[in-house]
Amino acid sequence: MPNVRTPDADIYYTDSGGEGPVLLLGHGFFMDSSMFAPQIDALAGNVRVVAWDSRRHGRTTDHGAAFTYWDLARDSLAVLDDLEIETAIVGGMSQGGYTALRTALLAPERVQALLLLDTEASACTDGEKAGYRAMFDQWCSDAPIEPLVEALAPQLIGGDSRESWAPWIEKWTTSDRRAIRPAAECLIERDDVVDRLSAIEVPALIIRGEHDMSAPAVKAKQLYDHLPLAVPVLTIPGAGHAANWTHPQPVNETIAAFVTMVETGWL
């Protein structure tokens, strides 16, 4: 699979290929581009799906410098450049959505539309920062990791099926747990872009899981209220934070319809 080298990172990505409209996808925290396998399987043939691994996740490597979601937005543009793709529908789940929003602000001419999955535009509150720091301090310690991943899976992925959690639990328990620290700082110290959303004048689809507590309904409504061309928020019944992974059928059907509307100019 291809990588694109930038001054700061070697970015791994996958490309389903084809002549269809391009959908560039960024994954959530503690995940990697394989979380979009259900979308690639369903959409490939009609949509060219490009999914990439963020720094400190998956197969992407970096050179150890601190980074922000603005840097990750530049990474996503580097992937498009490597594939000689001028414009794409840019999307992401959770932190991938943070990156997608910043990509649209950084290079609006490259973004045809936005796909925002279980994400938000605001910064962490002081309470959220404290909670995250306590969790990451434990994660990056020598404490047994099994209780941590057992608690993380239902919150980060959602649903009630251990089968859907199993691939991620295995990755978490076998990876270098301390490597995540720079990405954690990026997450905790992210800036607020809510007041800048009105500048993003492209169609936007917002999807969230009904039981997602990480990106609750009020955050999805905030996106809808501030993005000028957002379509009504789609809530997936029974889903949690990773609705595209646990409930792919309604997510895929909605994405396919959205891509068609964008391509045909209905939006």
Side-chain angles (χ1 to χ4, degrees), residues 221-237:
K221 185 177 185 303
Q222 186 178 61
L223 289 171
Y224 175 73
D225 288 344
H226 287 79
L227 287 166
L229 299 181
V231 300
V233 176
L234 174 67
T235 299
I236 305 297

Side-chain angles (χ1 to χ4, degrees), residues 112-177:
Q112 187 178 8
L114 282 172
L115 170 61
L116 303 170
L117 305 167
D118 293 285
T119 193
E120 61 176 292
S122 53
C124 285
T125 65
D126 289 343
E128 289 168 339
K129 287 183 179 182
Y132 274 134
R133 290 199 184 282
M135 189 271 285
F136 285 116
D137 284 347
Q138 191 174 13
W139 187 275
C140 295
S141 73
D142 293 324
I145 199 170
E146 287 75 14
L148 296 175
V149 300
E150 288 292 333
L152 183 64
Q155 177 181 349
L156 192 65
I157 301 169
D160 56 6
S161 169
R162 291 193 63 85
E163 183 179 354
S164 67
W165 305 342
W168 302 106
I169 288 177
E170 181 179 0
K171 289 185 180 189
W172 299 335
T173 55
T174 58
S175 64
D176 176 6
R177 57 195 287 190

Side-chain angles (χ1 to χ4, degrees), residues 146-216:
E146 287 75 14
L148 296 175
V149 300
E150 288 292 333
L152 183 64
Q155 177 181 349
L156 192 65
I157 301 169
D160 56 6
S161 169
R162 291 193 63 85
E163 183 179 354
S164 67
W165 305 342
W168 302 106
I169 288 177
E170 181 179 0
K171 289 185 180 189
W172 299 335
T173 55
T174 58
S175 64
D176 176 6
R177 57 195 287 190
R178 291 174 176 80
I180 205 70
R181 179 68 80 176
E185 289 301 312
C186 173
L187 174 72
I188 293 166
E189 298 298 338
R190 69 182 186 271
D191 58 334
D192 190 307
V193 296
V194 173
D195 290 342
R196 299 184 62 181
L197 297 182
S198 61
I200 302 176
E201 296 182 340
V202 296
L205 173 62
I206 304 159
I207 300 177
R208 67 172 299 273
E210 177 187 13
H211 303 304
D212 184 3
M213 295 297 101
S214 296

Side-chain angles (χ1 to χ4, degrees), residues 21-23 47 87-90 111-115 201-205 229-231 254-267:
V22 178
L23 177 59
V47 179
T87 62
I89 298 171
V90 177
V111 179
Q112 187 178 8
L114 282 172
L115 170 61
E201 296 182 340
V202 296
L205 173 62
L229 299 181
V231 300
T254 304
I255 292 173
F258 178 71
V259 171
T260 296
M261 288 190 288
V262 170
E263 283 295 294
T264 57
W266 291 1
L267 291 176

Side-chain angles (χ1 to χ4, degrees), residues 73-109:
R74 294 181 182 90
D75 289 349
S76 73
L77 293 169
V79 171
L80 293 181
D81 290 342
D82 196 53
L83 292 168
E84 299 182 346
I85 294 170
E86 289 298 319
T87 62
I89 298 171
V90 177
M93 177 265 178
S94 195
Q95 74 157 12
Y98 309 159
T99 301
L101 290 169
R102 287 159 179 79
T103 304
L105 290 167
L106 190 67
E109 73 282 359

